[in-house]
Amino acid sequence: MNPHLDKLQPYPFEKLRQLFAGVTPNAAYSPISLGIGEPKHPTPAFIEKALTHAIAGLANYPSTIGAEPLRAAIAGWLERRYGLPPLDPATMVLPVNGSREALFAIAQCMVDGSKTDALVMCPNPFYQIYEGAAYLAGATPFFVNSDPARNFAPDFGNVPGSVWPHVQLLYVCSPGNPTGATLSLDDWRELFELSDRFGFLIAADECYSEIYTGSTPPLGALEAAHQLGRSEGEQPYRNLIVFSSLSKRSNVPGMRSGFVAGDPVAMKKFLLYRTYCGGAMSPPVQTASIAAWNDEQHVQDNRALYKEKFSLITPLLKGVMDVELPDAGFYLWADVRRTGLSDTDFARRLYADYNVTVLPGSYLARDAHGQNPGQGRIRMALVAGVDEGLEAANRIVQFCQGLK
């Protein structure tokens, strides 16, 4: 049996289940969950229609590389969204069954686990797939703590110089989960320079890119590379690949549809790997994905719902906890220490008293460099409808006021 399996920690939601063990929530309140980042807005009807109309495609084996029209649709969306020069759909784009499985697989493909000092770097707090992927690839994760002074973006400038030569893969999540932080052009310039010097691959997780509260969309990794003159030449977007998904953008988490795009040299290796592990997308899902990537109106409508929730809920919660609008994404990353409770006690008592579920921030981070940057914080996913979200916020306010 793979000995690296013993290094894996329970998933945050398993820890939450254990935290709530033995607790009977107040029956006077209906359950509301802000704990899981699962979109609750309705799936657009035109996507459902495209999926069902393509059901005959189940009679065919799909190719790992995906149908040319899907790769062209993804390339077209990337070009429109980020102002990129034309991408080659044949060598720079690959459909995947959701970004989660691809983010895990890239470490298995790119990390040389025979090197005992191999490191996979990732932000802290983080999406737990990064850690598990590192361990099962035979590497050790190196955590870069978020910096509250930088709106919780990771501070790569504080990484010791002795660490970088051992880094083989760097996971970047922008907009970040759970903090909502986005990287600036200067941040990307720094990472590209480090990648050029030490040769590691950057895996940019951008599945929250289309949910933002301001008027300017978040800067993307390929967009930053293009602006910094890295989109041309023999190896465009050198050592950079991005991961994205329709789950949050189009409210289809059950469709498991995403893509990987970028450096054609890395993409060639990744395609070879996936040809063997069987990660091909179902033909009906491919057809529905083409429809989704080619439409922006439903994305704008979806974003408007999130903006409404943020504008109504955040001011309510600011009266009882330290919380600000994120750069992007659909999470609130709130500091609850002024309530006098730890993040775990806060979550457990809120669930018991008001039947509202939130996720303790310490479950999303690791002890690193003398601290757990999630400690004292909670993550709230504003995925429910507007009315349900407001109800949850009002219950949280009542709970906090009752602690005084």
Side-chain angles (χ1 to χ4, degrees), residues 26-350:
N26 189 338
Y29 296 97
S30 59
I32 300 178
S33 178
L34 307 180
I36 299 179
E38 181 181 43
K40 298 296 185 183
H41 298 170
T43 298
F46 78 93
I47 298 178
E48 295 178 341
K49 183 177 180 181
L51 181 68
T52 56
H53 281 202
I55 202 69
L58 292 176
N60 306 110
Y61 277 119
S63 63
T64 304
I65 197 171
E68 191 281 331
L70 174 56
R71 286 181 280 114
I74 293 168
W77 179 79
L78 283 165
E79 292 159 14
R80 293 189 302 272
R81 167 63 172 83
Y82 296 112
L84 304 179
L87 301 170
D88 182 358
T91 63
M92 301 176 73
V93 175
L94 181 63
V96 296
N97 294 313
S99 58
R100 174 175 177 162
E101 62 96 358
L103 286 162
F104 176 84
I106 196 64
Q108 318 315 306
C109 177
M110 299 298 180
V111 170
D112 181 359
S114 68
K115 295 184 177 180
T116 57
D117 59 356
L119 296 179
V120 171
M121 186 176 287
C122 70
N124 190 31
F126 61 99
Y127 183 39
Q128 195 159 322
I129 295 302
Y130 310 152
E131 178 189 56
Y135 281 134
L136 289 174
T140 300
F142 183 92
F143 300 109
V144 182
N145 290 345
S146 65
D147 183 358
R150 304 178 73 243
N151 204 18
F152 303 104
D155 188 358
F156 295 102
N158 278 336
V159 174
S162 60
V163 170
W164 290 109
H166 306 291
V167 176
Q168 296 191 20
L169 177 66
L170 168 62
Y171 284 111
V172 178
C173 190
S174 179
N177 171 12
T179 68
T182 57
L183 298 190
S184 68
L185 188 63
D186 285 340
D187 291 329
W188 282 115
R189 180 184 287 108
E190 177 186 21
L191 292 180
F192 293 149
E193 290 173 352
L194 288 164
S195 175
D196 288 343
R197 193 184 320 164
F198 298 107
F200 58 81
L201 180 74
I202 299 174
D205 180 355
E206 300 184 342
C207 67
Y208 295 94
S209 67
E210 303 314 289
I211 301 171
Y212 48 91
T213 55
S215 58
T216 304
L219 178 71
L222 295 179
E223 181 182 17
H226 176 55
Q227 292 181 13
L228 295 171
R230 302 175 64 88
S231 59
E232 306 293 343
E234 293 184 1
Q235 190 177 348
Y237 306 105
R238 181 173 179 266
N239 282 340
L240 171 66
I241 55 175
V242 301
F243 299 72
S244 193
S245 166
L246 289 172
S247 295
K248 280 77 176 177
R249 174 188 181 271
S250 300
N251 296 310
V252 288
M255 205 161 79
R256 310 313 303 137
S257 177
F259 69 79
V260 183
D263 179 351
V265 175
M267 294 295 293
K268 184 177 181 179
K269 293 289 187 182
F270 196 41
L271 174 59
L272 174 63
Y273 173 87
R274 294 181 63 77
T275 300
Y276 277 82
C277 68
M281 184 184 293
S282 160
V285 171
Q286 292 194 51
T287 299
S289 300
I290 293 170
W293 289 118
N294 283 334
D295 182 80
E296 285 299 317
Q297 185 58 55
H298 78 284
V299 184
Q300 296 171 17
D301 296 342
N302 187 44
R303 188 160 51 241
L305 284 174
Y306 283 113
K307 284 185 176 182
E308 182 181 3
K309 283 185 282 189
F310 273 111
S311 67
L312 294 172
I313 291 171
T314 309
L316 286 175
L317 296 178
K318 285 184 74 169
V320 295
M321 61 181 64
D322 296 325
V323 62
E324 300 291 342
L325 283 176
D327 290 341
F330 54 45
Y331 300 115
L332 285 175
W333 184 236
D335 188 331
V336 297
R337 286 175 292 183
R338 67 164 142 138
T339 66
L341 300 178
S342 68
D343 54 312
T344 51
D345 286 341
F346 185 99
R348 195 170 195 269
R349 289 183 56 178
L350 176 66

